Amino acid sequence: MKKYNLDGIDIALYDNGKFVIDDEGIFGDYKPQTFYEGARANLSIVIDGHTPLILTKEGFIFSGAEQYGNSLYLKYSHNDEGIAVTIKLENVAGVIVQQNTITNISNKEINLTGLSSAFLEYIGYSENMPWYKKDIKISLCHSKWQGEGQWRSYTPSDLGLYPSTDGEWESEFYRFGTTGSWSTNDFYPIVIAEDKTDGKTWFMETEGAHSWQIKLACYGGYKSSKLAMEASSCEESVGNWHYVLKPGREYITERAFYGVVEGGFEEAVKALNDFKRADSVFDCKNIPLVFNDYMDCLWNTQTPELVLPLVDAAAEAGCEYFCIDGGWTCNKAGDGLGDWIPKPQNYKEKDLKYIADRIKEKGMIPGIWFEFDACFDSAELIAEDINNVLCRYGKPVGIPNRHFYNFKNKRVCDYLTERVKAVYDMGYRYIKNDYNLSAGAGCTNNYDGDSPAEGLIENTNAFYAFIDCLYKKFPGLVMENCGSGALREDNKTLRRFSLQSTSDQEIYLNNPSIAMGSEAIMPPEKAGLWVYPYPANGEVREKFKLTEEYVKEREDGKETAFNIVTGLVGAMYLSGRIDLCDEKNFALIKKGTEIFKEIRQYIPQSCPVYPTGMHRMNAEEIASLGLLSENRLMLAVWNTASEEKEAHIDLSKYADKLTVKRTYAYNDPEFNVSETTLSVKLEDKSAVWFEFVI
């Protein structure tokens, strides 16, 4: 066994090429059978649907390691199968990033049916106690449209993971993942496993806007019991993935990243946020204050007559960007998406440039909505060539009259770039890119193969290249990622955008749950938290009118302040019919945006903390989310119940002493701070934001 140090992380590498994270030397000279003959490698390779290759002395063999600075390269080969494999390990901000390359060194085609990104054994290992006797909590992040970021915790036994025999052949698996291009539709691609007995937490995440799977496994029976986790996008059970690797060619997996920290869930989240900040294309230190006219506002029905009053109100409220959402565009045939030209019936005398100029006159930067992938049957590029859209088995992917552009076609990328240039030349410097349908299993018309899952991977990578190209062509362009809320927010996508819409949630009482869960999977400065005072019901849309009852319900400002409090613990993302606000509510909005612009400098230095635990949607209780930095704790406290509630929140984990610098609420909040305990009483459906000096 030899140890390598990657900028502070010790990797214990055994003679057969098996490695473990060994920061504390807990493995030392320990030599379990699986580290030697017959060991699982730190990835799975499956050829022709057979069992995964295992490390042996003569078959799949380890052929050496090379370290270059912060990166470690491990080499393997299998002469009979005709493959060479390289595992690259890199320490990025305290997290191990793994990426694997397989090369065909034979003169025959190789049918790959499985190639994982990472396999990590010995979760919860210690010399004195087997993992299944420990207090282990596994946290998974569930997701759905308007219900994103919903964390749930399980014991391994809850998931069917426990030994039951003396046979080392025994194994059990729990698989979770997503099929399709909504990569975070069912789950976010992450697992966090807390070993509460030893005070350590393991985590693993994978990426890519396509099908993926994370597998939790226990095997070895009682005699040699092990708990493991594995991440993969390349497996037959994941969208029917397979790939014919031709002689001399290579295949590179998606990245997986993982690690172990002292502490629990919050410490793992901090490690992942540190990594994602270091890994992001943008540093996002200057969080934009954006007004968007969609959510609980104009709902895709904007006209100049409706937009211009909102422009004036957003400027007065202190916004820096004004984004026109969906509803501005149509195809040349008169309807639908894909051609990306302004609706002539909506923008006549006052066209899109007029709107942009008005936004700039008010001191804001114009923004506009796109959905680059989407095209209707009436789009010109479909008539031009059916291969301009994704097809599966000869038919366009999607639903009747709505399909997906094929980003591997240069014609598609060139056309969309022209449409971006058209609005860029009008003055638009902000794009909200949406994604409102999943491509399902994938496509088969964009590469030389017949696996839908691989076709989807190919298109996803081409989409990323298109986005990267837009930044190069259009200086100063800022882009937000959306996907029916947050159904395509994996790290490989999100790292290319400055802002992520965390949900399409319309009910403000549900947003604290989404905010809390979202900031465990992305840096808070990228988490676009919808704030919509004076909401317009989606059924009313452009016909929305104030009624005496509506105004009276909101005259105390409690709902407005609740919304603002949510926005103060991330990237505030303002909407709602603020052009119709009464004086009191508008004053609360202005005060909130002023505070946000003062404190946003601290958000990229902060990590999320959960003093009262993760708040489940629909729970009627006191909930809290904090942003902790070196000498500051900013804390949102919400009461989502229909009755007054009081809470005593222990903050001793985060500070030795707390001093209240300021608060934000609709009234004078009733609270008391004693050393490190915050006692607060909240009326029904109300919230308060605290800024503490620590």
Side-chain angles (χ1 to χ4, degrees):
M1 187 267 286
K2 185 176 181 180
K3 284 204 175 183
Y4 291 85
N5 186 277
L6 299 183
D7 196 21
I9 297 180
D10 284 331
I11 302 293
L13 177 64
Y14 288 77
D15 295 344
N16 65 347
K18 183 79 176 179
F19 66 84
V20 293
I21 302 175
D22 194 28
D23 283 350
E24 295 184 357
I26 59 172
F27 288 96
D29 294 327
Y30 177 59
K31 299 176 181 179
Q33 173 67 24
T34 50
F35 284 163
Y36 289 86
E37 184 73 14
R40 284 283 307 267
N42 291 82
L43 80 165
S44 290
I45 301 173
V46 182
I47 297 173
D48 292 329
H50 297 159
T51 57
L53 301 180
I54 57 174
L55 294 166
T56 59
K57 292 180 180 179
E58 297 179 350
F60 187 39
I61 61 172
F62 175 58
S63 53
E66 298 176 350
Q67 183 171 1
Y68 300 98
N70 200 33
S71 299
L72 179 64
Y73 295 83
L74 309 177
K75 307 286 187 177
Y76 306 81
S77 63
H78 197 305
N79 289 332
D80 290 342
E81 296 289 358
I83 60 171
V85 177
T86 299
I87 294 178
K88 178 185 177 183
L89 302 177
E90 186 178 12
N91 178 354
V92 179
V95 170
I96 292 294
V97 180
Q98 178 173 338
Q99 192 165 37
N100 312 315
T101 302
I102 183 169
T103 304
N104 185 344
I105 57 174
S106 74
N107 57 7
K108 62 181 181 181
E109 293 184 343
I110 297 174
N111 184 31
L112 290 173
T113 55
L115 182 62
S116 68
S117 295
F119 173 79
L120 193 61
E121 274 184 312
Y122 294 92
I123 307 305
Y125 168 82
S126 63
E127 295 181 272
N128 302 319
M129 183 183 296
W131 68 268
Y132 56 85
K133 291 188 176 182
K134 291 184 170 185
D135 182 4
I136 291 179
K137 183 174 79 171
I138 294 175
S139 295
L140 308 179
C141 186
H142 297 255
S143 181
K144 68 173 185 174
W145 199 348
Q146 298 197 20
E148 299 87 344
Q150 299 301 294
W151 287 85
R152 298 292 184 266
S153 296
Y154 309 89
T155 67
S157 181
D158 291 336
L159 303 177
L161 303 175
Y162 49 85
S164 58
T165 76
D166 286 330
E168 293 192 21
W169 48 264
E170 182 191 3
S171 63
E172 295 291 345
F173 303 94
Y174 175 79
R175 300 173 175 88
F176 67 97
T178 292
T179 298
S181 52
W182 269 350
S183 53
T184 51
N185 178 39
D186 302 307
F187 293 89
Y188 188 83
I190 188 174
V191 57
I192 296 178
E194 296 177 68
D195 177 355
K196 290 179 170 291
T197 303
D198 285 350
K200 294 182 180 180
T201 299
W202 302 76
F203 55 86
M204 177 178 282
E205 184 172 333
T206 188
E207 57 186 8
H210 44 65
S211 304
W212 59 269
Q213 176 179 271
I214 290 179
K215 182 190 302 181
L216 300 171
C218 75
Y219 46 91
Y222 290 117
K223 291 184 178 179
S224 183
S225 190
K226 294 171 284 294
L227 183 64
M229 50 182 65
E230 182 173 27
S232 179
S233 300
C234 303
E235 192 169 323
E236 278 189 302
S237 61
V238 182
N240 189 24
W241 184 88
H242 56 274
Y243 189 83
V244 176
L245 190 63
K246 296 181 179 180
R249 303 294 295 272
E250 67 180 22
Y251 191 95
I252 303 174
T253 66
E254 296 287 24
R255 301 186 305 174
F257 34 96
Y258 50 81
V260 58
V261 295
E262 296 289 335
F265 183 87
E266 289 180 346
E267 286 73 22
V269 166
K270 182 181 185 307
L272 283 163
N273 269 339
D274 288 346
F275 161 73
K276 290 170 185 177
R277 282 168 171 153
D279 187 60
S280 179
V281 173
F282 308 99
D283 62 19
C284 298
K285 290 180 179 177
N286 299 311
I287 309 171
L289 179 52
V290 181
F291 186 93
N292 180 290
D293 70 15
Y294 174 71
M295 181 66 68
D296 283 356
C297 192
L298 298 185
W299 297 104
N300 291 354
T301 63
Q302 78 282 104
T303 62
E305 292 70 30
L306 289 170
V307 169
L308 292 176
L310 282 165
V311 170
D312 295 343
E316 187 178 351
C319 295
E320 297 158 325
Y321 289 77
F322 188 99
C323 183
I324 297 172
D325 209 283
W328 67 269
T329 183
C330 68
N331 288 340
K332 295 172 184 176
D335 68 325
L337 303 176
D339 289 349
W340 300 105
I341 62 171
K343 282 184 178 177
Q345 66 270 32
N346 285 20
Y347 297 95
K348 298 176 183 177
E349 297 85 3
K350 297 177 180 178
D351 59 11
L352 282 182
K353 186 177 186 308
Y354 180 93
I355 301 295
D357 290 342
R358 180 66 170 270
I359 293 170
K360 288 188 287 185
E361 285 173 10
K362 291 294 182 176
M364 297 182 294
I365 298 172
I368 199 164
W369 175 89
F370 275 90
E371 189 177 345
F372 290 132
D373 295 76
C375 55
F376 282 34
D377 286 342
S378 57
E380 285 198 338
L381 289 187
I382 293 183
E384 183 179 300
D385 183 354
I386 194 62
N387 285 309
N388 283 332
V389 298
L390 302 183
C391 295
R392 186 163 63 240
Y393 312 130
K395 301 292 183 180
V397 173
I399 59 177
N401 197 35
R402 187 183 179 106
H403 310 295
F404 301 85
Y405 274 135
N406 180 359
F407 283 92
K408 292 200 74 177
N409 277 11
K410 184 175 182 297
R411 171 72 174 119
V412 169
C413 295
D414 287 347
Y415 180 80
L416 292 174
T417 301
E418 290 173 9
R419 302 319 305 149
V420 172
K421 184 177 185 303
V423 297
Y424 185 86
D425 288 346
M426 295 179 196
Y428 291 90
R429 294 293 184 271
Y430 182 98
I431 288 176
K432 173 184 177 180
N433 184 56
D434 214 333
Y435 191 72
N436 288 308
L437 188 68
S438 172
C443 57
T444 53
N445 68 323
N446 62 350
Y447 84 109
D448 183 18
D450 63 355
S451 165
E454 176 58 27
L456 188 54
I457 292 172
E458 300 262 350
N459 188 67
T460 298
N461 288 331
F463 167 75
Y464 295 143
F466 167 72
I467 294 295
D468 294 343
C469 186
L470 291 184
Y471 288 119
K472 293 177 183 177
K473 287 182 177 291
F474 304 110
L477 184 64
V478 175
M479 283 196 277
E480 167 199 343
N481 185 53
C482 186
S484 288
L487 302 187
R488 186 170 73 164
E489 62 171 350
D490 61 277
N491 184 65
K492 192 172 183 180
T493 303
L494 183 54
R495 68 187 295 268
R496 289 173 162 82
F497 293 85
S498 298
L499 193 67
Q500 170 68 48
S501 175
T502 54
S503 184
D504 274 354
Q505 177 55 244
E506 302 168 42
I507 302 169
Y508 73 97
L509 290 171
N510 289 338
N511 276 328
S513 176
I514 292 169
M516 294 169 72
S518 296
E519 293 193 7
I521 54 181
M522 72 181 75
E525 62 270 22
K526 286 195 176 187
L529 305 177
W530 283 96
V531 174
Y532 32 79
Y534 262 52
N537 186 286
E539 296 177 0
V540 178
R541 298 182 177 250
E542 78 275 16
K543 298 177 182 178
F544 175 76
K545 303 290 183 183
L546 293 183
T547 65
E548 184 177 341
E549 180 184 8
Y550 181 97
V551 173
K552 188 171 182 58
E553 284 177 358
R554 292 162 179 82
E555 65 183 1
D556 59 6
K558 186 163 49 172
E559 180 180 313
T560 292
F562 190 107
N563 273 276
I564 294 291
V565 167
T566 304
L568 287 173
V569 283
M572 183 181 289
Y573 199 55
L574 191 61
S575 191
R577 290 304 302 268
I578 65 171
D579 56 319
L580 302 177
C581 272
D582 60 31
E583 186 176 338
K584 180 172 183 176
N585 279 281
F586 200 83
L588 283 168
I589 295 170
K590 286 192 69 172
K591 182 180 178 182
T593 60
E594 288 167 2
I595 291 175
F596 174 73
K597 286 194 281 189
E598 290 178 24
I599 60 98
R600 62 181 168 183
Q601 62 183 305
Y602 306 113
I603 295 176
Q605 307 166 20
S606 301
C607 60
V609 294
Y610 303 91
T612 53
M614 199 65 75
H615 171 62
R616 291 193 176 197
M617 191 174 291
N618 300 319
E620 296 189 351
E621 62 185 8
I622 294 277
S624 64
L625 168 63
L627 293 181
L628 179 67
S629 56
E630 185 176 357
N631 59 2
R632 190 176 309 267
L633 173 63
M634 297 179 288
L635 183 72
V637 186
W638 302 272
N639 177 11
T640 59
S642 298
E643 59 186 28
E644 182 177 273
K645 285 187 176 292
E646 184 174 4
H648 304 282
I649 303 174
D650 182 7
L651 301 172
S652 60
K653 179 179 178 181
Y654 316 115
D656 296 326
K657 187 176 181 180
L658 297 167
T659 301
V660 178
K661 182 176 180 181
R662 60 179 156 180
T663 63
Y664 173 88
Y666 87 98
N667 60 0
D668 292 327
E670 187 176 341
F671 71 93
N672 178 63
V673 177
S674 176
E675 293 296 329
T676 56
T677 298
L678 169 66
S679 299
V680 59
K681 184 180 290 185
L682 289 175
E683 296 179 21
D684 64 295
K685 301 178 182 178
S686 67
V688 59
W689 175 85
F690 295 90
E691 183 178 4
F692 298 104
V693 177
I694 60 177

